[in-house]
C-alpha cells in the first residue's frame, strides 16, 4: 500500500535525476531517468512516509531534523535540488484558489505587533554571536551578498553589496540616515565610515546584535556618528534624509506592510530616498514555506512584488527604481552552508545534533529554493517625489567608483 502511494505521488513528480527511496520495509523505489549523481534517501517508519506524502512542505524538514528521513547517498541539499529542480505544470485555477485561501489563513501567524516582533527576532537572531561567527563573513553580514564576478570571495561580495546599496541611496555628505534592522552594524558602519553620512540611526530588536554593533562602532571611533538602538521601527520619532533596510522586511508580516511603508513615508524628508532590500517571490502572491515560518523565522513572509507595490502606492511613495538580484543569494548561502558544515562539530557542542540537522536543512532548502524556484532579491528605491533621484541610473556606477576609492583611502575592509 505504502509503496503504491509513494510511486503515485513522489514517483509521479520525479522525472529526471537518479533518486532511490528506501521504505521502512526495506523495499527500494527508483525514480527519475537515471541522469546525474545518484541520491538515496531512507524513511525509517510508516508514519514518516504518510506525513511526508500528506504535508511535504512542512514534514520534509521535520523528518530530516528528527533523523526519520535519512540521506544515505548524497546530501540533503542534493535531494532538495533534485526535487525542486523538477518541471511542474502551472497550477490549476482550483490550486491557485486554495493557495490564496491558505495565504489569508496564514495572516493569523503574522500578528507582528512590537512585542511579538521582539520575540520572533530573539528566536532566530539571539542564538549567540559565537554561533553566527561559525559561518558569517568578518563583517557579520547576514543577508544576500552581491557577486560582481565569478570566484569573488564572500567577504568581497558582501562589501560589494554595501557599496551597491550605498550608491543606490544617492547619499549626500552629511545626510541623516535611518537603518531599519541594523543587524550587527556592518551597513551602518560603512555608511558612516565610507559613504560620509552625517549621522546614522540603526534600530534592531536583537539584544545580541545591539551589543556587538555598539562595540564595533566604538572600536572604530564612529560611536559619535552612529546611534544603535534597541527599538521597533514604528517607535523611531525623527525624520531622515535616507532610509535603508536590508533583510528585515521579510519579518514585517503581510498584515503590517501598509503600516511599514506609512511609517517610512512619515520618517522621510520631502526630498528623501529609501532603499529596501528584501527576499521575495517573483511569482504571484503565495504562502511562505510552513516549515521555515514554524522553526526558523516565526512571523515571517516572503512578499511578491505585487504584495509590496500595493502597500507602497497606498502610502503615497513613488517607486523610482527596481532591481532583481537572481542567484546572488544562492551563492551566498552556499558559502554559509560550506562554512557551517566545515565547523558543524563546534555547533553541535554549542547546541546539539538535532539543532544542527535543522540548520543544515534550513541552509540547504534556502539555497535550493534560490537556485530552482521563484525566490529572488528585490531592491526597491522609493521616494516621496520624482525629483529626489537622478533621471538615469548612470549615477550608481559613478557612486560605486567613488566609494571604492574611499574604501582604499580609508583602509576599509
Amino acid at each position: 500500500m505504502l509503496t503504491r502511494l509513494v510511486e503515485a505521488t513522489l514517483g509521479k513528480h520525479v522525472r529526471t535525476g537518479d533518486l532511490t527511496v528506501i521504505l521502512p520495509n526495506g523495499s527500494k523505489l527508483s525514480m527519475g531517468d537515471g541522469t546525474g549523481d545518484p541520491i538515496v534517501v531512507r524513511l525509517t517508519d510508516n508514519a514518516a512516509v504518510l506525513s511526508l506524502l500528506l504535508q511535504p512542505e512542512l514534514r520534509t524538514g521535520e523528518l530530516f531534523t528528527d533523523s526519520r528521513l535519512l540521506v544515505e547517498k548524497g546530501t540533503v541539499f542534493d535531494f532538495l535540488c533534485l526535487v525542486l529542480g523538477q518541471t511542474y505544470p502551472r497550477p490549476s485555477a482550483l490550486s491557485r484558489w486554495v493557495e490564496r485561501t491558505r495565504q489569508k489563513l496564514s495572516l493569523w501567524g503574522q500578528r507582528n505587533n512590537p512585542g511579538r516582533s521582539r520575540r520572533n527576532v530573539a528566536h532566530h537572531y539571539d542564538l549567540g554571536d559565537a554561533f553566527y561567527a561559525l559561518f558569517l563573513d568578518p563583517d557579520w553580514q547576514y543577508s544576500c551578498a552581491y557577486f560582481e564576478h565569478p570566484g569573488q570571495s564572500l567577504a568581497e561580495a558582501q562589501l560589494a553589496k554595501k557599496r551597491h546599496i550605498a550608491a543606490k541611496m544617492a547619499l549626500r555628505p552629511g545626510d541623516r540616515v535611518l537603518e531599519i534592522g541594523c543587524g550587527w552594524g556592518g551597513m551602518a558602519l560603512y555608511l558612516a565610515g565610507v559613504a560620509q553620512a552625517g549621522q546614522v540611526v540603526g534600530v534592531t530588536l536583537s539584544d545580541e546584535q545591539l551589543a556587538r554593533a555598539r562595540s564595533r562602532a566604538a572600536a572604530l571611533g564612529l560611536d559619535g556618528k552612529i546611534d544603535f538602538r534597541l527599538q521597533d521601527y514604528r517607535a523611531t520619532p525623527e525624520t531622515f534624509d535616507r532610509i535603508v533596510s536590508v533583510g528585515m522586511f521579510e519579518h514585517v508580516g503581510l498584515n503590517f506592510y501598509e503600516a511599514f511603508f506609512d511609517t517610512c513615508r512619515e520618517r522621510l524628508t520631502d526630498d528623501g530616498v529609501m532603499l529596501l532590500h528584501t527576499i521575495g517571490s517573483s511569482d504571484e502572491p503565495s504562502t511562505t514555506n510552513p516549515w521555515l515560518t514554524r522553526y526558523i523565522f516565526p512571523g515571517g513572509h516572503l512578499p511578491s512584488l505585487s504584495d509590496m507595490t500595493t502597500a507602497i502606492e497606498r502610502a503615497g511613495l513613488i517607486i523610482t527604481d527596481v532591481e532583481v538580484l537572481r542567484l546572488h543569494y544562492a551563492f551566498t548561502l552556499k558559502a554559509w552552508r560550506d562554512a557551517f558544515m566545515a565547523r558543524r562539530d563546534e555547533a553541535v557542542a554549542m547546541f546539539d545534533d538535532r539543532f544542527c540537522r535543522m540548520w543544515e536543512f534550513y541552509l540547504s532548502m534556502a539555497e535550493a529554493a534560490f537556485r530552482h524556484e521563484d525566490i529572488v532579491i528585490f531592491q526597491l528605491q522609493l521616494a516621496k517625489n520624482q525629483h529626489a533621484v537622478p533621471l538615469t541610473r548612470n549615477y550608481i556606477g559613478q557612486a560605486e567608483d567613488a566609494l571604492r576609492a574611499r574604501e582604499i583611502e580609508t583602509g576599509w575592509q
Side-chain angles (χ1 to χ4, degrees):
M1 178 67 173
L2 282 179
T3 300
R4 289 197 297 273
L5 282 173
V6 174
E7 288 177 328
T9 51
L10 186 59
K12 180 178 67 175
H13 292 296
V14 178
R15 299 297 187 184
T16 61
D18 185 350
L19 175 65
T20 299
V21 177
I22 304 176
L23 297 178
N25 63 7
S27 62
K28 298 181 179 180
L29 301 178
S30 296
M31 304 173 190
D33 59 5
T35 59
D37 295 331
I39 299 167
V40 178
V41 300
R42 178 187 296 273
L43 292 162
T44 63
D45 59 90
N46 291 339
V49 177
L50 288 172
S51 65
L52 180 65
L53 296 179
L54 291 172
Q55 293 180 293
E57 287 187 325
L58 175 63
R59 302 304 180 188
T60 303
E62 290 183 341
L63 295 173
F64 181 80
T65 298
D66 292 336
S67 298
R68 296 170 67 196
L69 185 156
L70 305 172
V71 184
E72 298 191 342
K73 183 174 288 187
T75 66
V76 69
F77 171 72
D78 299 327
F79 170 63
L80 291 170
C81 281
L82 185 147
V83 174
L84 297 181
Q86 302 294 315
T87 300
Y88 295 99
R90 185 71 179 168
S92 65
L94 176 60
S95 296
R96 293 197 296 273
W97 178 84
V98 170
E99 180 58 31
R100 288 194 295 271
T101 303
R102 287 177 59 196
Q103 185 178 27
K104 291 177 182 178
L105 293 174
S106 73
L107 296 178
W108 179 253
Q110 299 175 37
R111 306 182 308 281
N112 295 337
N113 57 49
R116 190 180 181 96
S117 294
R118 178 100 184 255
R119 292 192 296 273
N120 289 343
V121 166
H123 174 87
H124 188 86
Y125 294 96
D126 285 346
L127 294 173
D129 286 357
F131 172 70
Y132 284 101
L134 296 178
F135 61 92
L136 295 183
D137 71 292
D139 193 47
W140 297 76
Q141 290 294 300
Y142 191 31
S143 59
C144 177
Y146 184 60
F147 289 85
E148 299 170 302
H149 55 78
Q152 191 170 29
S153 72
L154 178 62
E156 291 170 340
Q158 291 290 15
L159 178 58
K161 183 264 299 290
K162 289 175 286 183
R163 185 190 308 126
H164 191 57
I165 288 174
K168 292 172 75 171
M169 291 170 66
L171 197 68
R172 303 162 300 192
D175 272 348
R176 182 172 167 81
V177 180
L178 169 65
E179 184 182 10
I180 300 176
C182 63
W184 288 276
M187 189 74 217
L189 295 173
Y190 185 87
L191 294 175
V194 177
Q196 299 179 310
Q199 185 182 26
V200 182
V201 173
V203 298
T204 179
L205 295 178
S206 166
D207 293 294
E208 297 266 353
Q209 290 182 334
L210 178 70
R212 181 164 292 274
R214 286 176 171 174
S215 175
R216 295 179 70 195
L220 291 170
L222 292 171
D223 44 338
K225 295 185 67 176
I226 304 177
D227 179 12
F228 288 117
R229 304 174 183 174
L230 190 70
Q231 188 176 64
D232 191 281
Y233 70 92
R234 289 161 285 202
T236 306
E238 306 100 316
T239 57
F240 300 86
D241 304 296
R242 298 292 184 266
I243 297 176
V244 62
S245 183
V246 181
M248 175 273 180
F249 189 74
E250 301 91 320
H251 304 284
V252 169
L254 193 58
N255 280 326
F256 289 88
Y257 283 6
E258 291 192 22
F260 178 86
F261 289 113
D262 283 342
T263 299
C264 291
R265 188 182 190 283
E266 291 170 1
R267 300 296 173 265
L268 273 179
T269 57
D270 288 342
D271 62 347
V273 177
M274 177 177 180
L275 195 288
L276 177 67
H277 169 119
T278 180
I279 303 171
S281 169
S282 58
D283 204 346
E284 62 183 309
S286 62
T287 53
T288 301
N289 179 276
W291 183 86
L292 195 70
T293 55
R294 177 175 293 187
Y295 295 101
I296 305 298
F297 294 116
H301 177 72
L302 300 186
S304 68
L305 198 56
S306 58
D307 283 332
M308 293 185 286
T309 54
T310 300
I312 290 167
E313 291 162 0
R314 288 176 177 168
L317 290 167
I318 301 167
I319 300 174
T320 50
D321 190 83
V322 178
E323 184 174 8
V324 181
L325 304 183
R326 299 160 292 103
L327 294 175
H328 290 264
Y329 219 154
F331 303 148
T332 305
L333 284 155
K334 182 182 187 310
W336 291 345
R337 183 171 58 87
D338 288 346
F340 176 80
M341 295 306 292
R343 303 181 68 180
R344 188 180 187 279
D345 289 347
E346 296 175 60
V348 171
M350 294 177 193
F351 296 96
D352 56 30
D353 188 69
R354 185 180 184 278
F355 174 90
C356 291
R357 289 178 67 83
M358 180 177 71
W359 265 73
E360 180 185 355
F361 188 86
Y362 153 54
L363 293 171
S364 298
M365 180 184 69
E367 182 185 345
F370 273 97
R371 290 188 184 277
H372 299 289
E373 294 198 305
D374 53 14
I375 309 301
V376 298
I377 291 292
F378 293 119
Q379 286 189 348
L380 305 184
Q381 185 192 66
L382 311 174
K384 276 188 173 181
N385 71 76
Q386 60 184 335
H387 304 287
V389 295
L391 291 178
T392 73
R393 302 182 88 248
N394 296 341
Y395 73 95
I396 298 174
Q398 295 167 1
E400 286 179 320
D401 290 341
L403 289 166
R404 283 191 189 92
R406 283 202 286 274
E407 290 164 13
I408 295 171
E409 179 184 333
T410 60
W412 197 266
Q413 300 295 322

